[in-house]
Structure formats: structure tokens, C-alpha cells
Amino acid sequence: MWKRIVRWGTCLVGAVVISIIVADLYFFHVAFVPAKKDFLEKPLPLRPGTALYQQRLWYHDVPKQHWTMESATGRYRLGANYIPARHSDKAVLICHGYMQNKNDMGAYAAMFHQMGYNVLVPDARGMGDSQGKYVGFGWPERYDERKWMKRLVHHLGPHVKIVMFGVSMGGATTMMTSGLHLPKQCVAMIEDCGYTSVKAEITHEAKDMYHMPAIPRWPLIPVLSLMTKLRIGYFMGEASSVRMLHHNHRPMLFIHGAKDTFVPTRMVYQNYRADRGPKELWVCPDADHAHSLRTHSREYERHVQQFLNKYVH
């Protein structure tokens, strides 16, 4: 009798463990492996009448220099577009969002270039022209961004003033980079709709997309975090914008859409409170995720320009 109970109990435990591993392998592939994601918004076509058409057309047509660099770990070859500005000692490093690439940031590149900035837009690991097996969600990429900053200093000289800017995953990358020891030429940062941590964002999306109640998230999320440690090199809880902002003393502008449900608007308040430097916050009314520039372009540009005028001289 007891042997039968133990045998059935062992089989049940084994089945549960296998189910958890299979589910987490699926979630890992969905979240961290570069591939087409059906749950993401499709990119805007480049045609007259679409939002930000003129800015995106400018980026499409403007001559660009293609830069390459080894990743900070030396494992991957990374690509970027560089657009010089005449007689300018200012540069912006632009970070794109999840499963995007440098060409999706054309409207932002146009905005900064019009403000007189040399523009560098890299592809994150595993996206665009950059090599990489996994999406790092900004945590391993923060060291790549620091290396791109050093490349800008080498190219433009020691007197260059660098602003780092990012949207969505790029916003989180910006905040995660902010806590590193960076070149002194990095003088300000702007983040748009970045998450508080990889764990918080993945947990939110698991609940939102798969309607996972609180109990099944354990042990799925901890096991998924272990997979990221084994494959990418970090536990999801380590990859924290909030924790890195505690070490930031550069000016930071925080932007977030008031109707963002992909990266919930509440996260920007946590990030803002965590920051230790001079800071400003603009919650864009009626804007969904990463749509603040699209829906309120003039106000967006005004907030960015006023922030830069205050801190980049």
C-alpha cells in the first residue's frame, strides 16, 4: 500500500517538475530568443499620412556611417548607424526597444539631429545587424552602451557631451547603464517607458498575456530566472533599473505614457523615486506604450529640448 502511494507520489512529482521545465522552456523562448513575436505591435509602414512620416523619411534618406564593434564580452559583432552633425560637440546614443532595431528609431534620430546632435543608433544584441543568441533586456547590453560611449569620445574628442536616450527596453537599458562608472563625457540621460526590472516586466507580461494567477507564477518565474542565469548570465531579479538608478547622479528625464499597459505606468514612479540625480518626470496624457512621441510630438520635443537646454551646455 505505502509502496504504491510512494510510487504514485513520485510519478506525480516527476510529472509536475517536467511540466514546469517544459513551460519555462516555452516562456524562455517567447521572451528571450530573438524571433518574430505575434504579441508585439507591427511597425508603421513608411508611407505618407502615417505618424512621424517626415522624420522617418529623413532618417531613411540621410547618409549614414555604418559602425561596428565587438560587444563588451567580446563574443558578438555589433552594428550601428552614425549620423554626423556639422560643427557640433554634442552626441546622443539612442537605444531601441524590444525586438526592434536601429531603423525603428528614425523619428527620434531626426529629432535629436535637428537639435544639433551627432546621432549614434546601435542594434542591441541579437537584433538588426548585431550578433547574439538572446535578448538581454538591457542588462548585458549596458556594458555595450558604455563601450559605444567610449567610441563616441574617441571619434569626436574629449570635449564631446553625450546624452543617452532609450525607449521601452532601450529606456530600461538607459537606466541600467546609469549606475555604471561611465565616461565623464556622458552628461545626461532620457528614458521613455522603461521597466523597473526584468523580473517585474516578465511577471507582468505572464499575468497579462497568459492570465496566470499568483500561485502558478511560483515556481515558474524562479525556474525561468534560473534559466536566464544559466544561458544569459543573470537572474531576472538582478537586472533592475531601480537598483542601478540608486547609483545614478546624472540628470535624468523620465517619460511615460499615461495609458501604457505593456510597461505599466506605475513603473515610472518607482524608477523616478529611485533616481539620485537631478530629475524630471513627464507622464504623457492618453499615450499607450512607446507612443508618446507619436501622439504628442510637439510637447515631447519641447520637454526634451527644455531638459537638454538645462543640463547640456
Side-chain angles (χ1 to χ4, degrees):
M1 178 69 178
W2 285 108
K3 289 183 179 179
R4 183 178 299 176
I5 293 173
V6 170
R7 186 165 59 249
W8 279 104
T10 302
C11 291
L12 179 61
V13 170
V16 169
V17 170
I18 291 172
S19 298
I20 290 170
I21 293 173
V22 170
D24 272 315
L25 286 171
Y26 168 77
F27 289 139
F28 182 89
H29 187 273
V30 169
F32 294 97
V33 176
K36 181 181 177 181
K37 312 293 182 183
D38 293 334
F39 57 86
L40 294 178
E41 181 183 27
K42 291 180 174 59
L44 282 173
L46 184 60
R47 61 169 178 252
T50 55
L52 304 169
Y53 169 73
Q54 291 298 332
Q55 296 94 321
R56 294 163 60 232
L57 181 65
W58 171 88
Y59 176 83
H60 182 270
D61 293 338
V62 70
K64 309 172 190 69
Q65 299 174 20
H66 186 65
W67 288 10
T68 60
M69 179 188 78
E70 280 194 349
S71 65
T73 56
R75 296 179 61 188
Y76 305 118
R77 173 65 59 177
L78 307 178
N81 281 342
Y82 176 72
I83 306 169
R86 284 189 176 184
H87 312 300
S88 176
D89 63 350
K90 298 180 291 187
V92 62
L93 174 63
I94 298 179
C95 303
H96 63 73
Y98 178 71
M99 292 315 305
Q100 293 187 319
N101 62 60
K102 56 187 178 298
N103 296 326
D104 294 304
M105 304 304 285
Y108 301 96
M111 177 184 71
F112 281 104
H113 195 269
Q114 188 176 22
M115 293 177 183
Y117 283 75
N118 298 280
V119 176
L120 179 63
V121 196
D123 284 323
R125 299 183 185 194
M127 284 166 269
D129 294 329
S130 291
Q131 298 174 341
K133 294 176 64 176
Y134 304 115
V135 179
F137 279 86
W139 192 243
E141 289 84 355
R142 72 197 196 279
Y143 293 115
D144 299 334
E145 304 309 332
R146 180 170 65 180
K147 196 171 179 181
W148 282 120
M149 288 183 193
K150 293 178 180 178
R151 177 75 177 271
L152 281 169
V153 173
H154 178 77
H155 183 75
L156 293 170
H159 300 295
V160 64
K161 292 176 277 292
I162 299 172
V163 174
M164 186 173 179
F165 170 87
V167 178
S168 191
M169 186 184 80
T173 305
T174 299
M175 292 184 284
M176 291 173 181
T177 305
S178 72
L180 298 178
H181 179 70
L182 300 175
K184 64 181 181 180
Q185 290 85 358
C186 179
V187 296
M189 296 184 160
I190 302 172
E191 77 85 21
D192 184 343
C193 63
Y195 36 82
T196 53
S197 71
V198 173
K199 181 179 180 181
E201 179 60 15
I202 295 294
T203 302
H204 167 75
E205 283 306 304
K207 180 180 178 182
D208 189 58
M209 293 172 58
Y210 301 103
H211 308 290
M212 291 170 57
I215 293 176
R217 287 208 302 269
W218 191 94
L220 288 175
I221 296 299
V223 173
L224 181 61
S225 183
L226 179 60
M227 287 184 179
T228 66
K229 178 65 174 178
L230 295 174
R231 295 191 178 191
I232 310 178
Y234 69 87
F235 291 111
M236 292 195 302
E238 291 179 68
S240 170
S241 300
V242 168
R243 184 159 64 89
M244 297 303 284
L245 286 166
H246 282 305
H247 303 285
N248 176 52
H249 297 283
R250 292 172 180 81
M252 176 86 75
L253 172 60
F254 296 84
I255 300 172
H256 217 102
K259 293 188 176 180
D260 193 338
T261 57
F262 192 81
V263 176
T265 307
R266 67 175 183 274
M267 288 190 178
V268 75
Y269 298 107
Q270 295 173 261
N271 289 327
Y272 180 79
R273 288 193 298 268
D275 189 56
R276 293 296 179 262
K279 52 190 174 182
E280 297 180 11
L281 169 64
W282 179 49
V283 177
C284 181
D286 304 319
D288 296 326
H289 181 67
H291 284 189
S292 295
L293 178 61
R294 185 187 304 185
T295 57
H296 295 275
S297 57
R298 290 185 180 179
E299 293 170 73
Y300 195 104
E301 292 173 10
R302 178 172 57 83
H303 279 279
V304 169
Q305 185 71 79
Q306 289 177 349
F307 174 79
L308 295 175
N309 289 344
K310 187 183 298 185
Y311 295 109
V312 185
H313 306 290

